[in-house]
RNA sequence: GGGCCCGUGGCCUAGUUUGGAUAGGGCGUCGGCCUGCGGAGCCGGAGGUCCCGGGUUCAAAUCCCGGCGGGCCCA
């Protein structure tokens, strides 16, 4: 064991000096030593003496001669700093990585436990835009991380196939004369979203007769029979196939597609409605502005009580979105006796099967026993998600398990909005994407642009490569650039898309990570594998920097396990790559003499092992030569 | 009118959850480094009221209160 072992040793030494609570922190500035204790600051008040003196006394009492990893202890300005015995410490770090067999850093905390993650959930009437991609990449990265921690992860994608936005598309096909085949060169989801949907919305706004027809279509879809229903199902499936292709391109995979209409058909809402009544969580309004509605009682909610109770069933008897969300969420927490049946929809690129709800289907997929149910949904849904969560608690369910993983939206810069034909107001700095107005940048469009840009670079560097190889590598670089850009930013910060910025392949980007990995592989390829974890002496600064960072990985994953934040993982990957590049520039490996060469090869091998894990966790495709 | 989120060099951003030593990066800009393990790289320079004002603390970008500006959700 590396860093964790070193921390444990430092704690032991402090206890041996009479310190009750060691308060160890990993130093950000390693010139003070690897770890430090701030215990002297804590004791200063109660002892009525200066932290500086207390720290010096503690340090004086500590005897490091029996320690494997710590060489000495010194008090500086009230901190008690611990310096590593680098000969032993670097060996411990390298051996832990090399012996872990590609599982380095995984504590295995999730073994035997299940987590449900729902992400993507794009209406099946349009292609994915970059905002959706943020959802897909965050959700998929969470799935990868939890799987690595040993959890069994079930990935769901919720398909709202019964909303009015579907009726818009159906209206176009039934009443506006659109043929079912897209024009040449256009995929079906693009055709529906870019052409039929946008035009249909526009026409229905101008023509009340069309708006009325759309209402009829909505009713027909909900009645689950007739031409509109059949057409709807066919379109949903076709669009979904195209959408999934885009998601696969981004590296995502799925286990289950839950169709909203199928789930309602199973009587899920009726069952949960009964339970809500029994729990006295809802009531029927006899009078007032909401007379005839069933409402969720929010009067005891600390914040939402101010806004009045939430309508679940409208006076015309139809359910609201939020009612259906509550029923569905309750099902995820096993509050329902319903057991949906599934059939195979498709296969992920890794060969695993994707199931879709189906009345004729024979497959049962248990959702029972999840320790967490994570729902990746943008921040605009924060209030409704809080209501869902509150309803779950009123039903007596463990609402703590139900997690809204919120993230800010992706918006357009003025410049990019103008390129799409939009005229911003003078003071408008950002423009929100809109499916209804056709104002968005498609994932495929942006990936294609990135790929084209990457391919130009590749052709310059490798004029001898075949077209296939150039294209394949270009695709991987494009995916890396987009995926990394979307997950590296804090989830509560909006991303204002700047296509010039995102086209960059240098600096803090996905391709930088790929390039660094390829460099490491090149050394290993030329070196063979005679390596040694035993340093010939005190390692150099660049070696220490790299070793230090590698040693931190297990703690990084522990932190993720408690805070669920992805961004620190991307920061870590970038810093690690950066430190490897410094090492690469400053410390020769292949040309070093024997003992140094073997030790440095162990460092490179360890780096490649760890970095390969990291790239997989982030969904950045690995490239051996670029 | 109520609630939530954001505010860090010209631009973007980490650090805020858990207060700790000199506020890290990237882009851009200026200047260096390929007969060397791959220059999609590395090194250096210039550039900062951490939005403002109070408070707590030995210590505040970080915690608390009050503003200002922007975004979102609800009424």
């Amino acid at each position: 064991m590396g860093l964790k072992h070193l921390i444990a040793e430092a704690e032991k030494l402090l206890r041996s000096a009479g310190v009750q609570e060691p308060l160890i922190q990993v130093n950000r500035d390693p010139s003070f030593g690897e770890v430090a204790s701030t215990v002297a600051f804590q004791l200063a008040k109660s002892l009525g003496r200066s932290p500086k003196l207390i720290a010096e006394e503690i340090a004086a009492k500590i005897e490091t001669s029996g320690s494997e990893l710590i060489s000495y202890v010194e008090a500086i300005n009230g901190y008690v700093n611990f310096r590593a015995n680098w000969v032993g410490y670097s060996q411990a770090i390298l051996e832990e990585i090399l012996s872990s067999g590609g599982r380095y850093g995984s504590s295995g905390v999730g073994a035997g436990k299940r987590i449900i993650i729902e992400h993507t959930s794009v209406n099946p009437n349009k292609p994915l835009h970059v905002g959706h991609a943020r959802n897909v990449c965050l959700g998929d990265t969470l799935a990868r991380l939890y799987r690595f921690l040993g959890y069994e992860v079930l990935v769901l994608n919720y398909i709202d196939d019964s909303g009015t936005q579907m009726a818009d598309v159906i209206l176009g096909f039934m009443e506006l004369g659109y043929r079912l085949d897209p024009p040449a060169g256009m995929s079906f989801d693009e055709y529906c979203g870019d052409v039929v949907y946008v035009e249909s919305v526009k026409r229905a706004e101008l023509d009340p007769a069309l708006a009325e027809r759309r209402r009829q279509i909505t009713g027909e879809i909900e009645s689950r029979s007739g031409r509109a229903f059949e057409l709807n199902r066919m379109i949903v499936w076709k669009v979904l196939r195209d959408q999934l292709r885009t998601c696969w391109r981004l590296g995502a995979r799925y286990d289950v597609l839950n169709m909203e209409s199928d789930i309602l058909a199973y009587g899920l809402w009726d069952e949960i409605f009964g339970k809500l009544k029994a729990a006295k969580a809802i009531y029927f309004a006899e009078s007032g502005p909401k007379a005839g509605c069933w409402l969720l009682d929010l009067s005891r909610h600390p914040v939402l009580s101010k806004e009045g109770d939430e309508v679940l069933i409208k006076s015309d008897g139809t359910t609201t979105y939020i009612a259906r969300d509550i029923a569905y969420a309750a099902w995820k927490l096993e509050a329902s006796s319903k057991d949906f049946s599934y059939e195979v929809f498709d296969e992920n690129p890794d060969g695993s099967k994707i199931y879709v709800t189906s009345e004729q289907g024979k497959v049962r997929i248990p959702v029972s026993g999840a320790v967490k149910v994570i729902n990746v949904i943008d921040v605009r849904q924060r209030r409704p998600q809080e209501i869902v969560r509150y309803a779950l608690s009123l039903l007596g369910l463990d609402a703590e398990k139900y997690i809204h993983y919120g993230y800010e939206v992706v918006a357009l810069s003025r410049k990019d909005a103008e390129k799409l034909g939009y005229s911003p107001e003078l003071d408008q700095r950002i423009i929100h994407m809109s499916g209804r107005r056709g104002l968005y940048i498609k994932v495929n469009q942006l990936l294609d642009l990135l790929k084209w840009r990457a391919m130009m670079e590749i052709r310059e560097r490798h004029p001898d490569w075949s077209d296939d190889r150039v294209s394949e590598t270009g695709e991987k670089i494009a995916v890396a650039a987009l995926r990394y850009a979307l997950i590296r930013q804090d989830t509560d910060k909006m991303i204002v898309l700047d296509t010039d910025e995102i086209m960059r392949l240098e600096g803090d980007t996905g391709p930088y990570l790929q390039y660094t990995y390829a460099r490491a592989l090149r050394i290993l390829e030329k070196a063979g594998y005679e390596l040694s974890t035993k340093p010939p002496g005190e390692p150099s600064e660049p070696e220490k920097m790299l070793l230090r960072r590698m040693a931190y990985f297990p703690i990084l994953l522990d932190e993720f396990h408690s805070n669920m934040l992805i961004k620190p993982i991307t920061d870590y990957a970038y810093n690690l790559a950066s430190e490897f590049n410094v090492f690469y520039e400053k410390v020769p490996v292949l040309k070093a003499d024997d003992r140094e060469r073997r030790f440095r090869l162990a460092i490179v091998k360890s780096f490649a092992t760890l970095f390969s894990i990291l790239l997989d966790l982030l969904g950045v495709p690995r490239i051996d030569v670029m």
Side-chain angles (χ1 to χ4, degrees), chain A residues 265-482:
Chain A
Y266 270 90
L268 179 62
W269 165 248
D270 293 334
E271 186 185 16
I272 300 302
F273 180 49
K275 293 198 175 191
L276 286 165
K277 274 195 282 196
K280 301 207 181 334
I282 57 173
Y283 65 92
F284 185 76
E286 299 284 356
S287 60
K290 288 170 182 172
C293 298
W294 279 92
L295 297 155
L296 180 70
D297 180 5
L298 295 175
S299 61
R300 284 191 301 276
H301 190 282
V303 179
L304 297 171
S305 54
K306 290 181 199 161
E307 294 174 3
D309 296 336
E310 186 73 18
V311 176
L312 297 187
I313 302 183
K314 292 178 262 186
S315 53
D316 65 4
T318 57
T319 54
T320 58
Y321 272 99
I322 213 155
R324 301 192 288 259
D325 283 352
I326 290 169
Y328 182 50
W331 169 77
K332 289 185 196 163
L333 291 189
E334 303 164 79
S336 165
S337 60
K338 306 294 176 192
D339 195 8
F340 307 130
S341 55
Y342 292 89
E343 65 179 75
V344 173
F345 182 84
D346 212 327
E347 270 182 19
N348 288 299
D350 66 9
S352 60
K353 290 188 167 54
I354 304 178
Y355 296 93
V356 62
T357 48
S358 153
E359 284 175 294
Q360 311 88 281
K362 301 236 169 14
V363 184
R364 305 279 157 168
I365 298 183
V367 289
S368 57
V371 294
K372 266 192 182 132
V373 175
I374 299 169
N375 305 278
V376 184
I377 315 172
D378 78 54
V379 288
R380 292 173 300 187
Q381 294 291 317
R382 196 164 275 168
R383 194 191 94 98
Q385 282 295 305
E386 175 53 28
I387 293 173
V388 168
R389 201 177 144 105
Y390 184 63
L392 295 174
S393 70
L394 292 178
L395 283 170
L397 299 170
D398 185 2
E400 292 296 309
K401 283 184 186 172
Y402 187 86
I403 295 158
H404 172 210
Y405 198 87
Y407 63 93
E408 262 291 352
V409 297
V410 181
L412 300 166
S413 61
R414 279 184 78 93
K415 193 179 58 184
D416 284 313
E418 277 165 0
K419 275 192 218 160
L420 292 168
Y422 179 82
S423 324
E425 305 290 325
L426 274 173
D427 57 344
Q428 228 180 338
R429 306 188 59 188
I430 59 150
I431 293 95
H432 287 287
M433 291 197 254
S434 160
R436 291 177 71 80
R437 285 182 296 166
L439 186 62
Y440 48 79
I441 294 179
K442 286 175 289 232
V443 175
N444 283 321
Q445 185 185 354
L446 189 55
L447 280 176
D448 288 345
L449 218 60
L450 273 163
K451 182 177 176 178
W452 173 82
R453 165 94 178 74
M455 284 168 68
M456 296 212 323
E457 293 285 332
I458 298 165
R459 285 218 172 85
E460 226 166 89
R461 282 157 221 252
H462 304 283
D464 55 319
W465 280 17
S466 71
D467 287 352
D468 279 356
R469 188 170 190 194
V470 171
S471 166
E472 208 176 291
T473 306
E475 173 76 10
K476 286 180 177 172
I477 292 172
V479 170
L482 182 57

Side-chain angles (χ1 to χ4, degrees), chain A residues 124-286:
Chain A
N125 67 334
K126 55 171 174 264
L128 267 70
H129 64 56
V130 188
H132 301 128
R134 190 173 191 183
N135 186 307
V136 174
C137 295
L138 287 170
D140 182 62
T141 305
L142 286 176
R144 287 162 182 261
L145 283 160
Y146 280 113
R147 212 173 293 129
F148 188 68
L149 290 174
Y151 287 93
E152 184 209 341
V153 178
L154 193 66
V155 180
L156 314 184
N157 182 358
Y158 185 59
I159 314 298
D160 181 1
D161 60 342
S162 59
T164 51
Q165 76 286 338
M166 287 312 302
D168 280 311
V169 177
I170 307 296
L171 180 73
F173 286 118
M174 289 178 80
E175 305 299 332
L176 302 179
Y178 284 106
R179 304 179 58 85
L180 279 169
D181 321 290
M186 198 181 239
S187 61
F188 190 74
D189 59 343
E190 286 177 339
Y191 175 51
C192 286
D194 295 356
V195 180
V196 183
Y197 180 51
V198 172
E199 184 61 22
S200 203
V201 166
K202 219 185 288 172
R203 293 275 299 272
E205 265 168 24
L206 300 171
D207 184 347
L210 280 176
E212 176 53 31
R213 180 71 187 111
R214 185 174 54 189
R215 264 189 294 280
Q216 287 171 6
I217 290 173
T218 307
E220 264 183 68
I221 294 171
E222 279 169 12
S223 71
R224 296 179 75 77
S225 64
R227 178 154 146 67
F229 172 72
E230 294 301 331
L231 197 58
N232 184 55
R233 188 178 170 81
M234 192 269 276
I235 288 165
V236 166
W237 280 50
K238 271 173 86 83
V239 169
L240 199 46
R241 275 184 205 284
D242 286 345
Q243 288 183 346
L244 282 176
R245 242 191 295 280
T246 308
C247 299
W248 289 331
R249 215 181 156 187
L250 289 168
R253 61 169 298 288
Y254 302 85
D255 296 299
V256 171
L257 310 174
N258 281 326
M259 294 280 184
E260 173 170 305
S261 63
D262 285 337
I263 283 176
L264 291 178
Y266 270 90
L268 179 62
W269 165 248
D270 293 334
E271 186 185 16
I272 300 302
F273 180 49
K275 293 198 175 191
L276 286 165
K277 274 195 282 196
K280 301 207 181 334
I282 57 173
Y283 65 92
F284 185 76
E286 299 284 356

